[in-house]
Amino acid sequence: MMQVGTGAPYPLTAASVTPIQDGDKWKYQIDGTYNQHGYEMTLQFVIEPDPSVFGNIIIRNVTSTTQDYSFIFTTPVVPPFSPSSLNGSVGVTVTSDSTPATIATTAPDPIYTALIDGSTAHTLLDNPYALSAPAFDSNVATSNFGIPTPIAGPGVTSNIGIKLHFNLTTGDQAGITSQFTANPVPEPSSLLFLAIGGLALVRRRK
């Protein structure tokens, strides 16, 4: 889903979906190119059965004023699980034209929000935040959570997703790479089984 300013959200149609076999599982790559509503944008998102969402968008504001953009991508999760372990990251690049460029938060939202069942699970680049670049130049910022050690999260009932919300100065371009992964936490009995299996393997090697 995409939203520009206070306009109504609308689906990003005309994207291609490519299934990719990954061992005994499938992941799906989603690609789209758009020139509409005052922006030019390309996107590529990959959803995996972990479940995981990984995506990259490049958007250019082709209007004469700073514009506010909101983008949400979700993927269903089957079966549900609880509790979860989480990690996520975001990288932002802003590139200017002949005048300075800025990508910034739109209060009160952060630039990146990890979603579980439509609710906020974690945020990055919280409001107020701004990244600027001088004319004919670019600038980069990154942030993450749960890397290298995942953090504890709530149960997942139906879906996970990423929300990106930001404003971008006129004529300038922003690239945002984002990732969110939620994994089920093994039950204590499963951990005990794995520990016993590992101990037996060590004894056999001896």
Side-chain angles (χ1 to χ4, degrees):
M1 299 293 292
M2 182 78 184
Q3 183 175 2
V4 179
T6 58
Y10 56 90
L12 289 170
T13 57
S16 65
V17 180
T18 305
I20 302 170
Q21 190 163 11
D22 185 12
D24 61 345
K25 299 178 180 179
W26 289 85
K27 58 185 179 181
Y28 297 88
Q29 180 173 307
I30 300 166
D31 298 276
T33 300
Y34 306 91
N35 187 344
Q36 57 187 13
H37 305 294
Y39 63 83
E40 298 171 349
M41 182 174 70
T42 61
L43 64 84
Q44 181 183 87
F45 269 77
V46 176
I47 58 173
E48 301 187 18
D50 292 329
S52 180
V53 180
F54 176 88
N56 180 62
I57 67 169
I58 299 174
I59 187 168
R60 181 170 177 260
N61 177 4
V62 296
T63 72
S64 59
T65 60
T66 296
Q67 291 292 315
D68 181 60
Y69 302 108
S70 182
F71 179 89
I72 297 177
F73 187 88
T74 61
T75 182
V77 174
V78 178
F81 55 85
S82 182
S84 63
S85 63
L86 312 176
N87 68 77
S89 63
V90 64
V92 179
T93 301
V94 62
T95 302
S96 66
D97 57 6
S98 59
T99 58
T102 299
I103 180 174
T105 51
T106 300
D109 288 348
I111 286 183
Y112 167 105
T113 303
L115 302 171
I116 293 180
D117 299 328
S119 298
T120 298
H122 206 282
T123 63
L124 296 171
L125 305 180
D126 292 341
N127 182 69
Y129 177 84
L131 179 67
S132 298
F136 303 114
D137 205 349
S138 62
N139 201 0
V140 180
T142 61
S143 186
N144 66 70
F145 65 91
I147 299 173
T149 304
I151 64 172
V156 180
T157 301
S158 59
N159 62 73
I160 67 168
I162 295 172
K163 176 182 178 180
L164 303 174
H165 189 191
F166 56 92
N167 60 75
L168 179 64
T169 46
T170 177
D172 300 315
Q173 178 177 287
I176 303 180
T177 300
S178 56
Q179 177 271 136
F180 178 43
T181 299
N183 284 316
V185 177
E187 297 178 358
S189 58
S190 300
L191 293 174
L192 178 62
F193 177 78
L194 291 173
I196 293 172
L199 179 60
L201 180 60
V202 170
R203 286 180 174 174
R204 289 195 188 99
R205 286 178 175 173
K206 289 182 178 180

